[in-house]
Amino acid sequence: MSARGPRLVLLGKQGAGKGTQSALLAEHYEIEWVSTGDLLRAAVVAGNEIGLKVSDYLEAGELVPDDIVQAVLAARFGSVDHLEEGFILDGYPRTVSQAELLESALDGHPLNVVLHLEVSTATVLDRLAGRRVCESCGATYHINLPPARDWICDVCGGPVRQRPDDTEEAVSRRLEIYEQETAPLVEFYRDLGRLAVVDAIGSGEEVFRRLVLAIDDACAEPSR
Ligand code: AMP
């Protein structure tokens, strides 16, 4: 773990590639990757109290209430060490109220940059329709780019399936919520001077290179 890594947020529509890019960035910068979606899905799989509370929201593609998301996040990410060592937040914040909560939780360790992975709705609809995800480790595949063995994850051997919220109905609801609740964060972070817009079209490697340039650029600025 690096002594001081960047503090990053990845914003973007469902299917923009946040999960894929977060994994690459976490490895590159040796920082922790925290996905609230993964944490909530893990709670559902574990069948614990939180999981029972959130499963209907997840399946329908609705946002989980803030107090539950905050509790899950704090349990995983409560210590100040994380603020100093750096992190990447994927899927959080998702509303202006969550962004305000995050700003106060950062406690003198401001975000270095918020990366907006920009992609059209038509492209993400296409990507999500074919997306398949490992239920155990979250590795992402596409029907045109499946794992080597019959829907068995290349990374961990877990079962690779369609996410229940990748159905057409749930996807259109999630994109609607994105426009209403999450898209305003682009202006929120632009106003704070922390936004970098990155074109999310192209190969994973191309997008990754663009992200690294934007992050290194932001981290080199003395005012940040
Ligand atoms: P994701 O994997 O980021 O697409 O998240 C999957 C689902 O988890 C979302 O559709 C929401 O139901 C829930 N979720 C994830 N992150 C949040 C968040 N920050 N606030 C509220 N709900 C969330």
Side-chain angles (χ1 to χ4, degrees):
M1 190 64 122
S2 65
R4 274 168 203 271
R7 290 178 287 277
L8 310 172
V9 163
L10 263 193
L11 279 184
K13 294 187 182 100
Q14 291 75 11
K18 297 189 298 296
T20 305
Q21 295 300 333
S22 293
L24 294 171
L25 292 171
E27 196 183 344
H28 180 81
Y29 290 105
E30 298 182 15
I31 54 178
E32 191 150 7
W33 164 26
V34 180
S35 153
T36 43
D38 284 351
L39 293 175
L40 292 165
R41 275 187 291 279
V44 173
V45 171
N48 60 26
E49 197 186 331
I50 296 236
L52 294 175
K53 281 190 194 157
V54 303
S55 66
D56 288 349
Y57 291 97
L58 261 70
E59 192 141 335
E62 298 290 334
L63 290 186
V64 169
D66 278 357
D67 57 334
I68 302 182
V69 178
Q70 291 305 123
V72 168
L73 197 60
R76 170 74 169 69
F77 198 58
S79 102
V80 78
D81 292 352
H82 293 300
L83 297 180
E84 286 170 0
E85 285 163 0
F87 56 81
I88 179 156
L89 291 177
D90 157 16
Y92 185 92
R94 237 170 167 106
T95 62
V96 170
S97 67
Q98 289 181 2
E100 284 165 348
L101 284 170
L102 176 62
E103 282 301 302
S104 52
L106 287 172
D107 192 23
H109 301 79
L111 295 171
N112 293 96
V113 61
V114 174
L115 300 143
H116 177 209
L117 279 178
E118 203 172 43
V119 67
S120 75
T121 299
T123 303
V124 297
L125 283 174
D126 189 50
R127 286 184 187 174
L128 291 173
R131 179 161 81 170
R132 300 292 181 270
V133 179
C134 172
E135 284 186 353
S136 302
C137 75
T140 307
Y141 301 89
H142 190 273
I143 45 173
N144 298 333
L145 213 60
R149 285 178 297 152
D150 197 24
W151 300 107
I152 306 286
C153 180
D154 292 338
V155 181
C156 76
V160 176
R161 306 221 165 94
Q162 183 171 43
R163 269 172 51 169
D165 59 352
D166 275 351
T167 58
E168 213 178 306
E169 193 187 353
V171 164
S172 72
R173 180 67 188 134
R174 287 159 70 208
L175 288 170
E176 196 176 279
I177 294 176
Y178 180 86
E179 289 308 329
Q180 283 165 4
E181 303 283 350
T182 310
L185 292 181
V186 171
E187 286 316 311
F188 179 94
Y189 285 117
R190 202 192 302 277
D191 289 347
L192 289 179
R194 307 244 180 83
L195 188 78
V197 179
V198 173
D199 179 4
I201 301 293
S203 71
E205 270 177 36
E206 282 164 349
V207 177
F208 173 66
R209 276 198 295 272
R210 290 176 204 141
L211 285 166
V212 168
L213 277 178
I215 294 165
D216 291 349
D217 201 38
C219 291
E221 281 182 28
S223 60
R224 301 186 191 219

